[in-house]
Amino acid sequence: MKISIKNNQEIEKMRIAGKLVGKVLDMIKSYIVPDISTVELNDICHDYIVYYQKATPACLGYHGFPKSVCISVNEVVCHGIPNKHQKLKEGDIVNIDVTIIKNQYYADSSKMFFVGKCHQKAKNLCKAAKDSLYSTFKIIKPGMQLNVIGNTIQKYICKTPFSIVKEYCGHGIGNNFHEDPHILHHKNKFNTIKLQKGMTFTIEPIINAGNQEVFCEKDGWTVKTKDGSLSAQYEHTILVTESGCEILTLRETENIHSTYINI
């Protein structure tokens, strides 16, 4: 395993990319309305990234992925492919996953959106996914074993009626989309490496309303819950600092700290 430790110049480039990702997710919120198609949302994100931000959507063409962002609706767990025939409807929950390349460095984040009025259980699910992610920001620090992240997420979700998808994980990120290490989102004994200042990675727990089992569609990308239950995911790109962590993809509309002091 080769883990990249970023220097100050690289970190600054990732901060720039991270701010752009946050701005895309803030921008697209007003377009999340009934009857808009997921491909229309994709195209709005694409044009904003390419023509306004002068950046590159990392998903487009990645291992053959055909669109610029992933859009996962209701029971779609992750990697949903935007489709002109899929139109949002009142009560849907939607995850939009945005990864941007700027100055050869990547940043990656996703969040949930509500289409009109949603059922309370759907809101509770999304809140649990978000809060399980947020719970990790208060414990990340140099010298900590990586598996404490997964243990913390599972400890939080065990207090809810929901389940954690174990097939997908966070990942190192920098001048590559996916780098070492893998970030597991459940209790585990495998991630025993110790965090170091300058490490950058994503944390992106996927939480299901029903059981944790999932399957991949024949398109090779779209992952869904086996029981048809709703699924929610939140993701941020994180920097390990000398005393805690920094959220590189923090959105302007997000009511949390950008840095956490945990030592």
Side-chain angles (χ1 to χ4, degrees), residues 15 112 154 216 224 236 244 259:
R15 285 192 181 110
M112 300 301 298
Q154 181 159 332
C216 187
K224 294 182 176 181
H236 270 307
T259 58

Side-chain angles (χ1 to χ4, degrees), residues 1 20 48 77 94 105 123 136 144 166 179 199 238 242 251-252:
M1 183 183 295
L20 296 180
Y48 186 80
V77 169
V94 184
Y105 278 79
K123 293 180 180 179
T136 67
M144 186 190 85
K166 296 182 178 180
E179 300 178 348
M199 289 177 62
I238 310 300
E242 63 182 1
R251 301 182 300 278
E252 290 181 2

Side-chain angles (χ1 to χ4, degrees), residues 199-215:
M199 289 177 62
T200 51
F201 49 80
T202 70
I203 306 175
E204 44 186 300
I206 303 173
I207 310 301
N208 291 349
N211 67 52
Q212 67 186 43
E213 295 182 354
V214 301
F215 72 97

Side-chain angles (χ1 to χ4, degrees), residues 14-16 18-19 22 107-109 133-138 140 200-201 203 235-241 244-251 254 256-260 262:
M14 292 190 68
R15 285 192 181 110
I16 293 168
K19 285 181 180 179
D108 185 5
S109 183
L133 169 62
Y134 287 177
S135 71
T136 67
F137 303 159
K138 300 174 184 178
I140 294 172
T200 51
F201 49 80
I203 306 175
E235 174 185 15
H236 270 307
T237 297
I238 310 300
L239 164 70
V240 180
T241 65
C245 66
E246 178 180 341
I247 318 306
L248 298 178
T249 45
L250 187 73
R251 301 182 300 278
E254 203 166 4
I256 58 171
H257 300 297
S258 61
T259 58
Y260 288 78
N262 298 322

Side-chain angles (χ1 to χ4, degrees), residues 21-113:
V21 170
K23 287 181 182 298
V24 175
L25 289 169
D26 279 340
M27 174 276 301
I28 200 62
K29 181 179 179 179
S30 63
Y31 296 95
I32 309 292
V33 295
D35 294 326
I36 193 168
S37 71
T38 53
V39 83
E40 287 177 286
L41 293 173
N42 172 86
D43 293 349
I44 292 166
C45 290
H46 175 91
D47 289 351
Y48 186 80
I49 294 166
V50 172
Y51 300 114
Y52 181 74
Q53 297 185 329
K54 308 297 182 185
T56 302
C59 289
L60 185 61
Y62 182 75
H63 292 307
F65 191 81
K67 298 298 179 182
S68 296
V69 297
C70 298
I71 302 181
S72 303
V73 182
N74 293 334
E75 77 279 7
V76 178
V77 169
C78 60
H79 305 156
I81 301 174
N83 185 323
K84 67 181 180 180
H85 301 297
Q86 183 180 37
K87 294 190 176 183
L88 301 185
K89 61 183 184 299
E90 183 87 10
D92 284 346
I93 61 171
V94 184
N95 178 275
I96 299 185
D97 192 342
V98 178
T99 309
I100 280 177
I101 312 167
K102 184 73 172 181
N103 301 321
Q104 298 181 317
Y105 278 79
Y106 291 71
D108 185 5
S109 183
S110 80
K111 74 176 296 287
M112 300 301 298
F113 298 90

